[in-house]
Amino acid sequence: MGGFPTVTDVALAAGVSRQTVSNVMNSPGIVRADTRERVEAAIKELGYRPHASARRLRTRRSSTIGIRLDPMIDGISGSVLDRFLHALTEQADAQGLRVLLFTATSPEDEITQFRRLNDGADVDGFVLTSTFAGDPRTRWLIENGISFVTFGRPWGVDDMNDPQHLWVDVDGWSGLQDATRAQQEAGARRIAYIGWPSPSGTGDERRRGWYDAMTLRGDVSASDLARLEVVTTDGVSQGTAAMQRLRQQAGQVDAVLCASDSLALGAMIANPERVPVTGYDNTPVAAAIGLSSIDQAVDEVAAGVLELLTGEFGGKVHGAPESDEPRHRLIAPRLVVREFAAIPMDVAR
């Protein structure tokens, strides 16, 4: 028999119709057991593999997950999404799923891509990253009944109880609280924080972890606590400027916690006193320079995303059975403590 085996070849070998072969592959429950066994034996003997494109058109199932490839913000904090993407792709492959990457210039452009990929049956669902309050992407997907899971909670709604959102996130509050407590247990009292402007769902959660741990301990007054905080946009140079400002307004500090490794690296550059600095994201840069950091456990995040996307809810609650199963996964981060290394000021030049 020349070329690749076809449905017709399988039907002839099993002594059934082409439709019966199709039923065995797509709806085996409606085929009699003895007939199904003959067809399966013929498929195995001939080495038949269904044509993926044709099967996708028939079943509207592609075994493919779509995810936007975010633009690289910088070479430090941007690596977190890269690591998540690698973890998602590897774990999806182990489950027989593929990951389709696409780009978009804005949330509205991403919605256009959703529509195009859904209309062409190119994907079965989407994974979203970089969520924010009032996110139009999740609203559009819910309104159109399309499966999705977000890496990042749906800020601005009752995310713990909202039945329309399936999400996985890392608990930034507990990460910064653990980091603060670790410094307190080491003897630090005046623990400073360099974070992002509010409102920022992710940034506000991380700041709250530091603030709650500091106020619970009560080592510093409210006015002194205000001097121990500096707010800035993300980036290495911004972290350096924030550290310099912190030293001017707060004087001597015992430790510094940062909302990202980018800010932490900048803080280390302006740190001649070798004050302990802790970042967030546990990037390769943090490991290379000996920076303590909070790890986001992206392998666990990817596993949670796939569980919600392919499990009982199928990436959406519309039409899903009533269940007590949580509609979200909140992953506990891990503090990675490293031997402190100071970076001289001239490194930045």
Side-chain angles (χ1 to χ4, degrees):
M1 188 180 300
F4 293 106
T6 65
V7 172
T8 300
D9 297 327
V10 174
L12 290 172
V16 298
S17 67
R18 286 168 49 92
Q19 183 59 51
T20 299
V21 175
S22 177
N23 288 342
V24 168
M25 291 186 295
N26 300 311
S27 303
I30 68 174
V31 183
R32 283 173 34 189
D34 60 334
T35 302
R36 186 171 66 247
E37 290 172 0
R38 290 206 318 274
V39 173
E40 290 172 344
I43 289 173
K44 183 176 180 180
E45 179 182 351
L46 295 173
Y48 171 71
R49 298 185 65 180
H51 191 276
S53 297
R55 187 173 186 180
R56 181 168 66 244
L57 290 173
R58 290 195 306 271
T59 66
R60 297 287 294 181
R61 300 287 295 179
S62 65
S63 298
T64 302
I65 302 164
I67 181 171
R68 173 188 176 182
L69 183 63
D70 280 5
M72 182 67 77
I73 299 174
D74 62 39
I76 299 175
S77 296
S79 70
V80 175
L81 290 178
D82 287 345
R83 289 161 51 209
F84 168 69
L85 183 57
H86 277 86
L88 182 71
T89 303
E90 291 170 359
Q91 294 184 33
D93 181 67
Q95 298 184 33
L97 303 172
R98 298 173 296 184
V99 174
L100 184 151
L101 302 179
F102 62 92
T103 61
T105 58
S106 65
E108 291 71 26
D109 187 31
E110 191 168 351
I111 291 172
T112 300
Q113 298 283 27
F114 292 161
R115 183 182 295 108
R116 178 181 64 83
L117 293 170
N118 184 68
D119 289 348
D122 294 310
V123 299
D124 297 328
F126 295 94
V127 175
L128 277 64
T129 61
S130 306
T131 54
F132 56 93
D135 196 331
R137 303 172 301 167
T138 56
R139 183 169 61 249
W140 187 90
L141 290 166
I142 290 170
E143 290 173 351
N144 287 273
I146 298 172
S147 297
F148 75 95
V149 176
T150 64
F151 174 14
R153 68 192 73 185
W155 304 104
V157 301
D158 182 9
D159 47 30
M160 292 297 181
N161 301 303
D162 183 8
Q164 298 188 90
H165 290 85
L166 299 178
W167 56 267
V168 180
D169 202 4
V170 178
D171 191 350
W173 175 85
S174 71
L176 262 296
Q177 186 171 74
D178 289 347
T180 307
R181 286 176 174 172
Q183 291 297 339
Q184 289 172 335
E185 290 170 1
R189 292 181 59 257
R190 305 190 72 241
I191 303 169
Y193 181 68
I194 299 176
W196 302 321
S198 184
S200 162
T202 301
D204 292 348
E205 281 290 293
R206 296 178 187 180
R207 177 196 179 274
R208 191 167 62 86
W210 162 78
Y211 184 85
D212 288 352
M214 291 293 288
T215 54
L216 180 64
R217 183 73 170 255
D219 284 339
V220 298
S221 65
S223 59
D224 196 22
L225 190 60
R227 287 191 292 270
L228 288 170
E229 180 178 5
V230 174
V231 173
T232 183
T233 54
D234 199 50
V236 176
S237 61
Q238 290 90 333
T240 300
M243 187 68 169
Q244 293 168 338
R245 178 180 162 194
L246 178 65
R247 293 166 62 192
Q248 292 172 356
Q249 72 182 34
Q252 182 64 38
V253 298
D254 299 323
V256 179
L257 309 182
C258 298
S260 72
D261 281 354
S262 298
L263 291 174
L265 175 59
M268 290 178 73
I269 292 172
N271 185 20
E273 296 88 355
R274 297 177 62 86
V275 173
V277 176
T278 301
Y280 197 109
D281 287 335
N282 194 30
T283 58
V285 170
I289 65 175
L291 171 66
S292 295
S293 187
I294 299 165
D295 187 84
Q296 293 219 46
V298 292
D299 286 339
E300 293 183 46
V301 173
V305 165
L306 289 173
E307 179 186 2
L308 290 175
L309 197 59
T310 64
E312 177 180 0
F313 297 111
K316 58 184 176 182
V317 177
H318 296 297
E322 291 294 328
S323 173
D324 294 329
E325 181 71 15
R327 290 165 169 80
H328 64 268
R329 303 286 186 272
L330 192 58
I331 307 298
R334 180 174 62 96
L335 175 61
V336 179
V337 178
R338 297 187 174 95
E339 184 177 353
F340 178 70
I343 299 179
M345 284 290 293
D346 57 6
V347 168
R349 297 191 184 100

